[in-house]
Amino acid sequence: MTTVGILGGGQLARMMALAGAPLGLRFLVMDTSAEACAGQFVPMVVGDWRDEAALAEFASRVDVATFDFENVPAESAEWLAARIPVFPAPRALAVAQDRLAEKTLFNELGIGTPAFAAVDTRADLDAAVARIGLPAILKTRRLGYDGKGQFRLKTHAEVDAAWSALGAQAPKVGLILESFVPFEREVSVVAVRGRDGAFRAWPLTENWHRDGILSASMAPAAGADALAPQALSQARRVAEALGYVGVFALELFVREGELLANEMAPRVHNSGHWTIEGAETSQFENHLRAVLGLPLGDTSAVGASVMLNWVGTMPDAGPVLSSAAGHWHDYGKSAREGRKVGHATLRAGDRPALAAALGPVVASLGRREEFAPVLARLAEAG
Ligand code: AMP
């Protein structure tokens, strides 16, 4: 009996455990909060990431460890990796945790990014604004997610406000200024690399964000045939350069038909949730297969899928449950503004059938406006 340890006990750990049950796996999650939602049905160790006694207990009870949360301190990951197999390796995690390190790596691999500059001081910020120009986004280099730790700068008059908002964090997590990309669309590659170097990617996914948080995903992305080979090759180069093992996501902007890499998430990713019902093998199962050294499963899409994220509160389940295309995921979390509490995936045989199913569901939920860009993309793709 193999026990997989997961650092972080949120919805990603929860969905990983659900995917691992048919493989005969057991799980143990570690989280700083006793309320972490995977703990509702997965055994849990509650402790701070830097608490060696908690880490030691966790290590003694698992055969291999992985992550549902990329901001586990690199030292904690290294402490564990000295004792048990840990995938992805702490070095890969460290690069992906740092927006400056990952963008530098992307450029070294010939992957385009928005222009960027490291910012440690107020003088650096002025120099970065002068070099990169405006509009731009000031972000924390580390520990940011879902649009947190970001300030959008449109005019020079806002430089003071940006520094007031984030300057205090510069000594601890570092800052980066990036040029603001007026993108046409956002896409992501969700991919997996095995312990033997085998590489597979799911079809390119198109994503829509609201307030920096993923709102919806559609896969396979419509009209992306010209972009997909390049995006997949970029993901492969990143994975190979890092000796990466497991699932990861590469988030890309599309501007004037060109790809620009925004960031890499070193874990299963929200833009891959559609793979649970919409692909031969889900991202969660393939992540487990990768970290355990098992053969990777087929990443082909089954029909066409749209995932709708529930942020803040869960809507009424009725419209999704009543739809033949609908699949419901409630993470068992309490409601809180900006918090991902669940999602739904609608999957149908092809895009016209998906459009026919999605329209009535979002109308019944009273959310046509929120998901209008998704409906429009489906309509235009035909
Ligand atoms: P991030 O936390 O970097 O993934 O940013 C969250 C979202 O903010 C992205 O998915 C984009 O929608 C937007 N965003 C982030 N960086 C940029 C940028 N340099 N230009 C335009 N939009 C951005």
Side-chain angles (χ1 to χ4, degrees), residues 99 103 114 137 139 144-148 150 152 178-183 186 209 211-213 251 253 262-263:
R99 291 183 190 276
K103 286 204 166 65
I137 306 190
K139 299 181 179 179
Y145 64 100
D146 283 349
K148 295 186 176 69
Q150 301 192 3
R152 295 189 182 197
E178 298 176 10
S179 65
F180 183 85
V181 180
F183 54 78
E186 290 189 81
H209 291 80
D211 303 324
I213 303 177
E251 297 179 35
F253 301 132
N262 175 33
E263 66 171 341

Side-chain angles (χ1 to χ4, degrees), residues 58-198:
F58 176 79
S60 73
R61 293 171 57 189
V62 305
D63 299 296
V64 57
T66 188
F67 306 87
D68 114 316
F69 178 66
E70 74 258 47
N71 291 325
V72 171
E75 312 84 75
S76 309
E78 270 157 22
W79 190 95
L80 271 182
R83 288 156 181 84
I84 53 169
V86 176
F87 299 108
R91 180 182 152 257
L93 193 72
V95 171
Q97 277 176 347
D98 183 339
R99 291 183 190 276
L100 183 65
E102 68 184 356
K103 286 204 166 65
T104 304
L105 174 69
F106 295 159
N107 286 178
E108 280 167 13
L109 297 173
I111 299 169
T113 60
F116 62 92
V119 173
D120 292 321
T121 63
R122 173 60 212 250
D124 289 347
L125 178 58
D126 289 331
V129 169
R131 182 160 78 75
I132 289 172
L134 295 177
I137 306 190
L138 185 63
K139 299 181 179 179
T140 55
R141 273 173 61 180
R142 288 183 291 278
L143 302 180
Y145 64 100
D146 283 349
K148 295 186 176 69
Q150 301 192 3
F151 192 102
R152 295 189 182 197
L153 274 147
K154 294 187 199 71
T155 66
H156 286 91
E158 289 166 323
V159 176
D160 281 336
W163 187 252
S164 303
L166 295 177
Q169 295 186 55
K172 198 160 161 259
V173 295
L175 302 176
I176 182 171
L177 187 77
E178 298 176 10
S179 65
F180 183 85
V181 180
F183 54 78
E184 288 109 46
R185 41 204 302 212
E186 290 189 81
V187 296
S188 60
V189 184
V190 181
V192 58
R193 186 166 177 275
R195 276 158 77 159
D196 60 356

Side-chain angles (χ1 to χ4, degrees), residues 108-372:
E108 280 167 13
L109 297 173
I111 299 169
T113 60
F116 62 92
V119 173
D120 292 321
T121 63
R122 173 60 212 250
D124 289 347
L125 178 58
D126 289 331
V129 169
R131 182 160 78 75
I132 289 172
L134 295 177
I137 306 190
L138 185 63
K139 299 181 179 179
T140 55
R141 273 173 61 180
R142 288 183 291 278
L143 302 180
Y145 64 100
D146 283 349
K148 295 186 176 69
Q150 301 192 3
F151 192 102
R152 295 189 182 197
L153 274 147
K154 294 187 199 71
T155 66
H156 286 91
E158 289 166 323
V159 176
D160 281 336
W163 187 252
S164 303
L166 295 177
Q169 295 186 55
K172 198 160 161 259
V173 295
L175 302 176
I176 182 171
L177 187 77
E178 298 176 10
S179 65
F180 183 85
V181 180
F183 54 78
E184 288 109 46
R185 41 204 302 212
E186 290 189 81
V187 296
S188 60
V189 184
V190 181
V192 58
R193 186 166 177 275
R195 276 158 77 159
D196 60 356
F199 178 88
R200 290 182 188 233
W202 283 267
L204 200 65
T205 301
E206 177 162 6
N207 302 310
W208 290 266
H209 291 80
R210 283 171 85 93
D211 303 324
I213 303 177
L214 187 69
S215 162
S217 295
M218 181 173 136
D225 293 355
L227 294 172
Q230 193 193 351
L232 267 54
S233 132
Q234 293 184 348
R236 185 173 194 142
R237 267 180 274 159
V238 172
E240 286 174 357
L242 291 172
Y244 193 91
V245 173
V247 166
F248 66 100
L250 181 64
E251 297 179 35
L252 302 154
F253 301 132
V254 183
R255 190 194 58 193
E256 291 167 8
E258 299 281 320
L259 294 170
L260 293 173
N262 175 33
E263 66 171 341
M264 166 192 188
R267 52 173 168 72
V268 288
H269 192 250
N270 199 166
S271 70
H273 289 0
W274 66 269
T275 62
I276 297 174
E277 293 89 9
E280 290 288 352
T281 313
S282 78
Q283 62 165 348
F284 299 101
E285 179 172 342
N286 257 347
H287 182 71
L288 293 167
R289 291 190 191 205
V291 303
L292 293 167
L294 299 170
L296 302 180
D298 184 359
T299 49
S300 305
V302 180
S305 298
V306 161
M307 187 227 47
L308 309 174
N309 244 7
W310 308 135
V311 179
T313 54
M314 289 298 293
D316 174 18
V320 172
L321 295 179
S322 307
S323 165
H327 302 273
W328 191 247
H329 295 262
D330 181 333
Y331 306 150
K333 292 163 125 182
S334 51
R336 192 202 296 157
E337 200 188 323
R339 186 182 217 194
K340 292 172 176 172
V341 291
H343 75 268
T345 297
L346 280 89
R347 187 205 64 209
D350 55 24
R351 284 197 197 107
L354 180 59
L358 184 64
V361 168
V362 295
S364 303
L365 290 169
R367 297 169 89 139
R368 271 198 82 88
E369 198 189 324
E370 181 179 346
F371 297 115

